[in-house]
Amino acid sequence: MKIFESKNNCCGCSACEQICPKNAIKMTPDNEGFLYPEIDGSLCVECGACKNVCAFQNDYEKNKSQKAYAVKHKDFDTRMTSRSGGVFIAISDYIFEKNGTVYGAAFDNDFSVCHIRTTNKSERDRLKGSKYVQSDVKDTFASVKKDLKNGMYVLFSGTACQVAGLKNYLKNIDTSKLYTCDLVCHGVPSPKIWKEYLDYCEKKYNGKVTNADFRDKTLGWNAHKEAIWIDNKKYNSNEYAYLFNDNYISRPSCFNCKFTNLDRPADFTLADFWGIDRIVPDFNDNKGVSLLLVNSEKGAKIFDSCKKDIYCVDCDLQKSAKPNPNLYMPSPKPEDENLFWDNYKKLGFEKALKKCYKKVFFIRLRIRILEKLKKIKRIFKK
Ligand SMILES: Cc1cc2nc3c(=O)[nH]c(=O)nc-3n(C[C@H](O)[C@H](O)[C@H](O)COP(=O)(O)OP(=O)(O)OC[C@H]3O[C@@H](n4cnc5c(N)ncnc54)[C@H](O)[C@@H]3O)c2cc1C
């Protein structure tokens, strides 16, 4: 049994592993640190369940985005500790009011990222904040199925490929109490490279990582700097952010993503509201605004109940989606797509990081100088 022909066609959602009736599949990291299904031929009975469940190669249940909103959570601390406007917190609070469970991506003790099940607000707060690493969903699909069978309300959040995988996995189950949030996604970086980066920071600053934030909002929502705490002392940098933003360490299938459009697998789509200043002037205080797409009737119903906790403005769907490229195309491969991986495999992480960092730094510097020159030219023309 072969589940996929090329790595471009496996998003690593783990639905195949979790559906296998013989437990013959194990998600195993490749040499770049991405998980792929490995089949134990002695257990496999060629039933084809793994191939049929694959949302990346087959079809997925599509909801058409119907409405767009600009959203800010009313509680300032909630917004400051969330990546954009904190809309996820408002939606998940509603599920807790129904005694439900909330699933999403959290840091583990060693700062690796995996999906967890949460049953109260303090556990759920571990899901706050985007982690720019592919999250390992572990056995959460099976756990969602169990909760639904027990009649519970469930909210599952994750990348669109994870949500589509879950929905295909649950095809024969009553999902009337399941709510889902997918994220607009730039691409998911390698967990192995994230771990290498943390080791590099520990060596550089001579201590233990005690916290991490991929986008430090205290520097402003627009700032693209990460923060790493070593022995509780904060250090800002943009080294990992450069690798992520310029797509050097993304999963191969992300360049072939099927979900970068308005046909969404989830009831809600969450994103940063880029372009907010043009669409809702005066709403942006540089502390974060979420773009929320409501994609189903079911989603629209519970969103009404969340409105007490948020400030929200009705927006034009097409205009709001336009400034967010990953709502209409996958991130492009970097021109020198092998620069990071070739150097990493030959010379190790630090040297590969430095080569990419230098390159991105000079490209950005050049862009900034050209923009400044254009501004000066415009002033002189006036
Ligand atoms: C890898 C990645 C790439 C992204 N790329 C873009 C982009 O290009 N453009 C854009 O507008 N927005 C992007 N986002 C989404 C954005 O950063 C915010 O998550 C979104 O605006 C929701 O914000 P929030 O304030 O409501 O919640 P937040 O507190 O920021 O997010 C919490 C939610 O994100 C989920 N989450 C966090 N990390 C992961 C992960 N690694 N895998 C799966 N789920 C995760 C949690 O389960 C939780 O549901 C990306 C997010 C991730 C994780």
Side-chain angles (χ1 to χ4, degrees), residues 79 81-89 103-106 113 115 127-135 157-159 162 181 183-189 217 244 270-274 289-291 324 326:
R79 198 148 60 94
T81 46
S82 298
R83 170 60 211 126
S84 57
V87 63
F88 168 71
I89 296 302
Y103 290 77
V113 178
H115 264 59
L127 314 182
K128 274 195 213 167
S130 297
K131 291 102 190 158
Y132 295 140
V133 188
Q134 182 160 38
S135 171
S157 63
T159 55
Q162 289 167 338
C181 291
L183 306 170
V184 171
C185 180
H186 182 79
V188 283
K217 248 194 186 177
F244 166 60
L270 319 181
D272 285 289
F273 204 137
W274 302 130
V289 179
S290 297
L291 168 65
N324 205 322
N326 294 114

Short mmCIF file of all heavy atoms in Angstrom, two decimals, residues 79 81-89 103-106 113 115 127-135 157-159 162 181 183-189 217 244 270-274 289-291 324 326, ligand 1:
data_model
loop_
_atom_site.label_atom_id
_atom_site.label_comp_id
_atom_site.label_asym_id
_atom_site.label_seq_id
_atom_site.Cartn_x
_atom_site.Cartn_y
_atom_site.Cartn_z
N ARG A 79 -6.35 40.04 24.21
CA ARG A 79 -5.89 40.43 22.87
C ARG A 79 -4.36 40.46 22.82
O ARG A 79 -3.75 40.00 21.85
CB ARG A 79 -6.47 41.79 22.49
CG ARG A 79 -6.43 42.08 21.02
CD ARG A 79 -7.57 42.92 20.57
NE ARG A 79 -7.64 44.20 21.22
CZ ARG A 79 -7.12 45.33 20.73
NH1 ARG A 79 -6.47 45.31 19.59
NH2 ARG A 79 -7.26 46.46 21.37
N THR A 81 -2.28 38.70 24.46
CA THR A 81 -1.66 37.37 24.51
C THR A 81 -2.12 36.48 23.35
O THR A 81 -1.72 35.32 23.25
CB THR A 81 -1.99 36.68 25.87
OG1 THR A 81 -3.38 36.84 26.13
CG2 THR A 81 -1.18 37.29 26.99
N SER A 82 -2.98 37.01 22.47
CA SER A 82 -3.37 36.27 21.27
C SER A 82 -2.59 36.84 20.09
O SER A 82 -2.08 37.96 20.17
CB SER A 82 -4.87 36.45 21.00
OG SER A 82 -5.62 35.94 22.06
N ARG A 83 -2.56 36.09 18.99
CA ARG A 83 -1.76 36.56 17.86
C ARG A 83 -2.37 37.78 17.16
O ARG A 83 -1.71 38.74 16.84
CB ARG A 83 -1.58 35.40 16.87
CG ARG A 83 -0.97 35.76 15.55
CD ARG A 83 0.41 36.37 15.72
NE ARG A 83 0.66 37.33 14.66
CZ ARG A 83 1.04 38.58 14.85
NH1 ARG A 83 1.21 39.06 16.05
NH2 ARG A 83 1.24 39.36 13.83
N SER A 84 -3.69 37.71 16.91
CA SER A 84 -4.29 38.87 16.22
C SER A 84 -5.29 39.53 17.17
O SER A 84 -4.88 40.12 18.17
CB SER A 84 -4.89 38.47 14.87
OG SER A 84 -5.85 37.44 14.99
N GLY A 85 -6.60 39.40 16.92
CA GLY A 85 -7.56 40.11 17.78
C GLY A 85 -8.16 39.27 18.88
O GLY A 85 -9.04 39.74 19.61
N GLY A 86 -7.74 38.00 19.01
CA GLY A 86 -8.25 37.15 20.09
C GLY A 86 -9.63 36.58 19.83
O GLY A 86 -10.33 36.16 20.76
N VAL A 87 -10.04 36.49 18.56
CA VAL A 87 -11.38 35.98 18.25
C VAL A 87 -11.53 34.51 18.67
O VAL A 87 -12.60 34.07 19.09
CB VAL A 87 -11.74 36.20 16.76
CG1 VAL A 87 -10.82 35.43 15.83
CG2 VAL A 87 -13.18 35.82 16.48
N PHE A 88 -10.42 33.76 18.60
CA PHE A 88 -10.45 32.35 18.98
C PHE A 88 -10.92 32.18 20.44
O PHE A 88 -11.66 31.25 20.77
CB PHE A 88 -9.07 31.71 18.77
CG PHE A 88 -8.94 30.36 19.39
CD1 PHE A 88 -9.62 29.28 18.86
CD2 PHE A 88 -8.19 30.16 20.54
CE1 PHE A 88 -9.54 28.02 19.45
CE2 PHE A 88 -8.10 28.92 21.14
CZ PHE A 88 -8.77 27.85 20.59
N ILE A 89 -10.50 33.10 21.30
CA ILE A 89 -10.86 33.00 22.72
C ILE A 89 -12.38 33.16 22.87
O ILE A 89 -13.03 32.42 23.61
CB ILE A 89 -10.08 34.05 23.55
CG1 ILE A 89 -8.58 33.74 23.48
CG2 ILE A 89 -10.56 34.11 25.01
CD1 ILE A 89 -8.18 32.36 23.99
N TYR A 103 -9.93 21.86 21.33
CA TYR A 103 -8.65 21.28 20.88
C TYR A 103 -7.86 22.31 20.09
O TYR A 103 -8.43 23.09 19.32
CB TYR A 103 -8.91 20.09 19.95
CG TYR A 103 -9.47 18.87 20.64
CD1 TYR A 103 -10.82 18.82 20.99
CD2 TYR A 103 -8.67 17.78 20.92
CE1 TYR A 103 -11.34 17.69 21.61
CE2 TYR A 103 -9.19 16.65 21.54
CZ TYR A 103 -10.52 16.61 21.88
OH TYR A 103 -11.05 15.50 22.50
N GLY A 104 -6.55 22.28 20.25
CA GLY A 104 -5.70 23.17 19.46
C GLY A 104 -4.23 22.93 19.75
O GLY A 104 -3.87 21.98 20.48
N ALA A 105 -3.38 23.80 19.22
CA ALA A 105 -1.93 23.60 19.29
C ALA A 105 -1.33 24.32 20.50
O ALA A 105 -1.59 25.51 20.70
CB ALA A 105 -1.28 24.11 18.01
N ALA A 106 -0.53 23.58 21.26
CA ALA A 106 0.09 24.14 22.48
C ALA A 106 1.57 23.78 22.51
O ALA A 106 2.01 22.85 21.85
CB ALA A 106 -0.60 23.54 23.70
N VAL A 113 5.65 21.53 19.61
CA VAL A 113 4.25 21.94 19.46
C VAL A 113 3.39 20.74 19.11
O VAL A 113 3.71 19.99 18.18
CB VAL A 113 4.12 23.04 18.37
CG1 VAL A 113 2.66 23.44 18.18
CG2 VAL A 113 4.96 24.26 18.74
N HIS A 115 -0.98 19.11 19.36
CA HIS A 115 -2.38 19.37 19.67
C HIS A 115 -2.75 18.73 21.02
O HIS A 115 -2.30 17.63 21.32
CB HIS A 115 -3.28 18.82 18.56
CG HIS A 115 -3.65 19.86 17.55
ND1 HIS A 115 -2.71 20.55 16.82
CD2 HIS A 115 -4.86 20.37 17.18
CE1 HIS A 115 -3.33 21.42 16.02
NE2 HIS A 115 -4.64 21.33 16.22
N LEU A 127 -3.39 27.37 24.24
CA LEU A 127 -3.54 27.35 22.77
C LEU A 127 -3.36 28.74 22.17
O LEU A 127 -3.16 28.88 20.96
CB LEU A 127 -4.93 26.81 22.38
CG LEU A 127 -5.42 25.55 23.08
CD1 LEU A 127 -6.78 25.14 22.54
CD2 LEU A 127 -4.42 24.42 22.89
N LYS A 128 -3.43 29.77 23.04
CA LYS A 128 -3.33 31.14 22.55
C LYS A 128 -2.00 31.37 21.84
O LYS A 128 -0.97 30.83 22.27
CB LYS A 128 -3.34 32.10 23.74
CG LYS A 128 -4.68 32.51 24.23
CD LYS A 128 -4.46 33.71 25.12
CE LYS A 128 -5.39 33.84 26.24
NZ LYS A 128 -4.96 34.83 27.22
N GLY A 129 -2.02 32.22 20.83
CA GLY A 129 -0.78 32.59 20.16
C GLY A 129 -0.41 31.61 19.07
O GLY A 129 -0.46 30.39 19.27
N SER A 130 -0.06 32.14 17.90
CA SER A 130 0.33 31.26 16.79
C SER A 130 1.71 30.70 17.05
O SER A 130 2.62 31.43 17.43
CB SER A 130 0.37 32.06 15.50
OG SER A 130 -0.91 32.53 15.22
N LYS A 131 1.85 29.40 16.82
CA LYS A 131 3.17 28.77 16.90
C LYS A 131 3.57 28.45 15.48
O LYS A 131 2.91 27.61 14.84
CB LYS A 131 3.13 27.49 17.75
CG LYS A 131 2.89 27.72 19.23
CD LYS A 131 1.47 27.42 19.58
CE LYS A 131 1.12 27.85 20.98
NZ LYS A 131 -0.35 28.02 21.11
N TYR A 132 4.60 29.06 14.99
CA TYR A 132 4.96 28.89 13.58
C TYR A 132 5.82 27.64 13.38
O TYR A 132 7.00 27.71 13.00
CB TYR A 132 5.65 30.17 13.06
CG TYR A 132 4.72 31.36 13.06
CD1 TYR A 132 5.16 32.63 13.43
CD2 TYR A 132 3.38 31.23 12.69
CE1 TYR A 132 4.30 33.72 13.43
CE2 TYR A 132 2.51 32.30 12.70
CZ TYR A 132 2.98 33.55 13.07
OH TYR A 132 2.12 34.62 13.09
N VAL A 133 5.21 26.51 13.66
CA VAL A 133 5.82 25.17 13.56
C VAL A 133 4.69 24.22 13.26
O VAL A 133 3.58 24.42 13.78
CB VAL A 133 6.39 24.71 14.93
CG1 VAL A 133 7.18 23.43 14.76
CG2 VAL A 133 7.21 25.76 15.60
N GLN A 134 4.94 23.15 12.50
CA GLN A 134 3.84 22.19 12.29
C GLN A 134 3.54 21.48 13.61
O GLN A 134 4.42 20.89 14.24
CB GLN A 134 4.18 21.17 11.21
CG GLN A 134 2.98 20.23 10.99
CD GLN A 134 2.98 19.51 9.67
OE1 GLN A 134 4.01 19.10 9.18
NE2 GLN A 134 1.79 19.34 9.10
N SER A 135 2.26 21.54 13.99
CA SER A 135 1.84 20.90 15.23
C SER A 135 1.57 19.42 14.97
O SER A 135 0.96 19.06 13.97
CB SER A 135 0.56 21.59 15.72
OG SER A 135 0.01 20.89 16.80
N SER A 157 -9.48 23.38 16.57
CA SER A 157 -8.82 24.44 15.80
C SER A 157 -7.50 23.93 15.27
O SER A 157 -6.83 23.13 15.92
CB SER A 157 -8.58 25.66 16.69
OG SER A 157 -7.70 25.31 17.75
N GLY A 158 -7.14 24.42 14.09
CA GLY A 158 -5.86 24.00 13.50
C GLY A 158 -5.73 24.57 12.11
O GLY A 158 -6.57 25.36 11.66
N THR A 159 -4.69 24.14 11.41
CA THR A 159 -4.53 24.57 10.02
C THR A 159 -5.66 23.91 9.20
O THR A 159 -6.26 22.92 9.64
CB THR A 159 -3.17 24.11 9.47
OG1 THR A 159 -3.08 22.69 9.65
CG2 THR A 159 -2.01 24.79 10.19
N GLN A 162 -5.38 20.23 8.67
CA GLN A 162 -5.70 19.41 9.85
C GLN A 162 -7.22 19.30 10.03
O GLN A 162 -7.74 18.22 10.33
CB GLN A 162 -5.06 20.03 11.11
CG GLN A 162 -3.54 19.88 11.13
CD GLN A 162 -2.85 20.74 12.18
OE1 GLN A 162 -3.39 21.74 12.65
NE2 GLN A 162 -1.64 20.36 12.53
N CYS A 181 -12.41 25.63 13.63
CA CYS A 181 -11.76 26.88 13.21
C CYS A 181 -10.54 26.50 12.40
O CYS A 181 -9.69 25.74 12.91
CB CYS A 181 -11.19 27.64 14.39
SG CYS A 181 -12.37 28.36 15.50
N LEU A 183 -7.11 28.13 10.17
CA LEU A 183 -6.32 29.36 10.13
C LEU A 183 -5.92 29.65 8.69
O LEU A 183 -5.66 28.71 7.93
CB LEU A 183 -5.02 29.19 10.92
CG LEU A 183 -5.14 28.71 12.37
CD1 LEU A 183 -3.76 28.37 12.91
CD2 LEU A 183 -5.78 29.80 13.22
N VAL A 184 -5.84 30.91 8.34
CA VAL A 184 -5.16 31.23 7.08
C VAL A 184 -3.69 30.92 7.36
O VAL A 184 -3.16 31.28 8.42
CB VAL A 184 -5.33 32.72 6.73
CG1 VAL A 184 -4.45 33.11 5.57
CG2 VAL A 184 -6.79 32.98 6.39
N CYS A 185 -3.04 30.21 6.47
CA CYS A 185 -1.72 29.67 6.82
C CYS A 185 -0.69 29.95 5.74
O CYS A 185 -0.87 29.62 4.57
CB CYS A 185 -1.86 28.17 7.10
SG CYS A 185 -0.33 27.38 7.54
N HIS A 186 0.43 30.50 6.20
CA HIS A 186 1.55 30.85 5.34
C HIS A 186 2.38 29.62 4.94
O HIS A 186 3.12 29.62 3.97
CB HIS A 186 2.41 31.81 6.17
CG HIS A 186 3.59 32.36 5.50
ND1 HIS A 186 3.51 33.40 4.62
CD2 HIS A 186 4.91 32.03 5.57
CE1 HIS A 186 4.73 33.69 4.19
NE2 HIS A 186 5.58 32.88 4.74
N GLY A 187 2.20 28.54 5.75
CA GLY A 187 3.01 27.33 5.58
C GLY A 187 3.50 26.90 6.95
O GLY A 187 3.66 27.76 7.83
N VAL A 188 3.68 25.59 7.13
CA VAL A 188 4.13 25.13 8.45
C VAL A 188 5.60 24.70 8.43
O VAL A 188 5.98 23.81 7.69
CB VAL A 188 3.24 23.99 9.01
CG1 VAL A 188 1.93 24.53 9.54
CG2 VAL A 188 3.00 22.89 7.98
N PRO A 189 6.42 25.34 9.26
CA PRO A 189 7.84 24.99 9.32
C PRO A 189 8.12 23.67 10.03
O PRO A 189 7.28 23.14 10.76
CB PRO A 189 8.46 26.15 10.11
CG PRO A 189 7.51 27.27 10.01
CD PRO A 189 6.16 26.62 9.95
N LYS A 217 4.22 40.85 20.48
CA LYS A 217 3.26 41.94 20.27
C LYS A 217 3.58 43.20 21.07
O LYS A 217 3.06 44.26 20.77
CB LYS A 217 1.88 41.45 20.68
CG LYS A 217 0.93 41.31 19.53
CD LYS A 217 -0.46 41.15 20.09
CE LYS A 217 -1.44 40.86 19.02
NZ LYS A 217 -2.77 40.64 19.58
N PHE A 244 11.13 31.49 8.37
CA PHE A 244 9.69 31.17 8.23
C PHE A 244 9.06 32.04 7.14
O PHE A 244 8.45 31.53 6.19
CB PHE A 244 9.00 31.37 9.58
CG PHE A 244 7.49 31.40 9.51
CD1 PHE A 244 6.77 30.32 9.02
CD2 PHE A 244 6.78 32.52 9.95
CE1 PHE A 244 5.37 30.35 8.96
CE2 PHE A 244 5.39 32.56 9.89
CZ PHE A 244 4.68 31.48 9.39
N LEU A 270 -9.75 31.97 10.73
CA LEU A 270 -9.14 33.05 11.52
C LEU A 270 -7.86 33.52 10.82
O LEU A 270 -7.08 32.70 10.33
CB LEU A 270 -8.75 32.56 12.92
CG LEU A 270 -9.71 31.63 13.68
CD1 LEU A 270 -9.13 31.30 15.04
CD2 LEU A 270 -11.07 32.28 13.83
N ALA A 271 -7.66 34.82 10.84
CA ALA A 271 -6.44 35.37 10.22
C ALA A 271 -6.11 36.72 10.84
O ALA A 271 -6.91 37.29 11.58
CB ALA A 271 -6.67 35.54 8.72
N ASP A 272 -4.92 37.21 10.52
CA ASP A 272 -4.58 38.60 10.83
C ASP A 272 -5.32 39.46 9.82
O ASP A 272 -5.36 39.12 8.63
CB ASP A 272 -3.07 38.82 10.64
CG ASP A 272 -2.26 38.22 11.78
OD1 ASP A 272 -2.32 38.77 12.88
OD2 ASP A 272 -1.56 37.22 11.54
N PHE A 273 -5.88 40.57 10.27
CA PHE A 273 -6.60 41.44 9.33
C PHE A 273 -5.62 42.44 8.71
O PHE A 273 -5.55 43.59 9.11
CB PHE A 273 -7.75 42.17 10.02
CG PHE A 273 -8.84 42.59 9.07
CD1 PHE A 273 -10.17 42.43 9.40
CD2 PHE A 273 -8.53 43.13 7.81
CE1 PHE A 273 -11.19 42.80 8.51
CE2 PHE A 273 -9.53 43.50 6.92
CZ PHE A 273 -10.86 43.33 7.27
N TRP A 274 -4.85 41.93 7.74
CA TRP A 274 -3.94 42.84 7.03
C TRP A 274 -4.81 43.77 6.16
O TRP A 274 -5.87 43.37 5.67
CB TRP A 274 -2.95 42.07 6.15
CG TRP A 274 -2.11 41.11 6.93
CD1 TRP A 274 -1.91 39.79 6.64
CD2 TRP A 274 -1.39 41.36 8.15
NE1 TRP A 274 -1.11 39.20 7.60
CE2 TRP A 274 -0.78 40.14 8.53
CE3 TRP A 274 -1.21 42.48 8.97
CZ2 TRP A 274 0.02 40.02 9.69
CZ3 TRP A 274 -0.43 42.35 10.12
CH2 TRP A 274 0.17 41.14 10.46
N VAL A 289 -5.82 42.91 15.24
CA VAL A 289 -7.20 42.78 14.78
C VAL A 289 -7.30 41.45 14.03
O VAL A 289 -6.46 41.14 13.19
CB VAL A 289 -7.60 43.93 13.82
CG1 VAL A 289 -9.05 43.74 13.34
CG2 VAL A 289 -7.43 45.30 14.48
N SER A 290 -8.33 40.66 14.36
CA SER A 290 -8.54 39.39 13.64
C SER A 290 -9.44 39.63 12.44
O SER A 290 -10.40 40.40 12.53
CB SER A 290 -9.25 38.36 14.51
OG SER A 290 -8.50 38.01 15.64
N LEU A 291 -9.13 38.93 11.36
CA LEU A 291 -10.08 38.79 10.26
C LEU A 291 -10.80 37.47 10.53
O LEU A 291 -10.15 36.43 10.67
CB LEU A 291 -9.34 38.72 8.92
CG LEU A 291 -10.21 38.28 7.72
CD1 LEU A 291 -11.30 39.29 7.43
CD2 LEU A 291 -9.34 38.07 6.47
N ASN A 324 -4.62 39.47 1.97
CA ASN A 324 -4.06 38.30 2.64
C ASN A 324 -3.76 37.22 1.59
O ASN A 324 -4.63 36.40 1.26
CB ASN A 324 -5.07 37.79 3.68
CG ASN A 324 -4.36 37.01 4.77
OD1 ASN A 324 -3.41 36.28 4.48
ND2 ASN A 324 -4.80 37.17 5.99
N ASN A 326 -2.45 34.36 1.33
CA ASN A 326 -2.69 32.93 1.53
C ASN A 326 -4.18 32.57 1.54
O ASN A 326 -4.55 31.41 1.77
CB ASN A 326 -1.99 32.41 2.77
CG ASN A 326 -0.48 32.48 2.62
OD1 ASN A 326 0.20 33.23 3.32
ND2 ASN A 326 0.06 31.75 1.65
C1 LIG B 1 1.76 28.26 11.03
C2 LIG B 1 0.81 29.42 10.96
C3 LIG B 1 0.83 30.28 9.87
C4 LIG B 1 -0.06 31.35 9.79
N1 LIG B 1 -0.04 32.17 8.67
C5 LIG B 1 -0.90 33.20 8.59
C6 LIG B 1 -0.91 34.05 7.42
O1 LIG B 1 -0.14 33.87 6.50
N2 LIG B 1 -1.81 35.07 7.37
C7 LIG B 1 -2.70 35.29 8.39
O2 LIG B 1 -3.48 36.22 8.29
N3 LIG B 1 -2.72 34.50 9.49
C8 LIG B 1 -1.85 33.46 9.62
N4 LIG B 1 -1.88 32.65 10.71
C9 LIG B 1 -2.99 32.81 11.69
C10 LIG B 1 -2.79 33.95 12.68
O3 LIG B 1 -1.45 33.98 13.09
C11 LIG B 1 -3.66 33.81 13.93
O4 LIG B 1 -3.60 32.52 14.44
C12 LIG B 1 -5.10 34.11 13.68
O5 LIG B 1 -5.19 35.46 13.29
C13 LIG B 1 -5.97 33.88 14.92
O6 LIG B 1 -5.65 34.79 15.85
P1 LIG B 1 -6.31 34.85 17.31
O7 LIG B 1 -5.80 36.12 17.91
O8 LIG B 1 -7.77 34.65 17.26
O9 LIG B 1 -5.81 33.56 18.03
P2 LIG B 1 -4.36 33.11 18.44
O10 LIG B 1 -4.25 33.16 19.90
O11 LIG B 1 -3.30 33.76 17.71
O12 LIG B 1 -4.32 31.64 17.88
C14 LIG B 1 -4.77 30.57 18.59
C15 LIG B 1 -5.24 29.51 17.65
O13 LIG B 1 -4.23 29.13 16.73
C16 LIG B 1 -4.07 27.73 16.75
N5 LIG B 1 -2.67 27.44 16.46
C17 LIG B 1 -1.58 28.05 16.96
N6 LIG B 1 -0.47 27.51 16.43
C18 LIG B 1 -0.85 26.51 15.62
C19 LIG B 1 -0.17 25.56 14.81
N7 LIG B 1 1.16 25.52 14.75
N8 LIG B 1 -0.90 24.69 14.10
C20 LIG B 1 -2.25 24.68 14.16
N9 LIG B 1 -2.95 25.56 14.90
C21 LIG B 1 -2.26 26.47 15.62
C22 LIG B 1 -4.48 27.33 18.16
O14 LIG B 1 -4.93 26.00 18.19
C23 LIG B 1 -5.61 28.30 18.43
O15 LIG B 1 -6.79 27.85 17.87
C24 LIG B 1 -0.98 31.58 10.84
C25 LIG B 1 -0.98 30.74 11.96
C26 LIG B 1 -0.10 29.66 12.03
C27 LIG B 1 -0.13 28.74 13.24
#
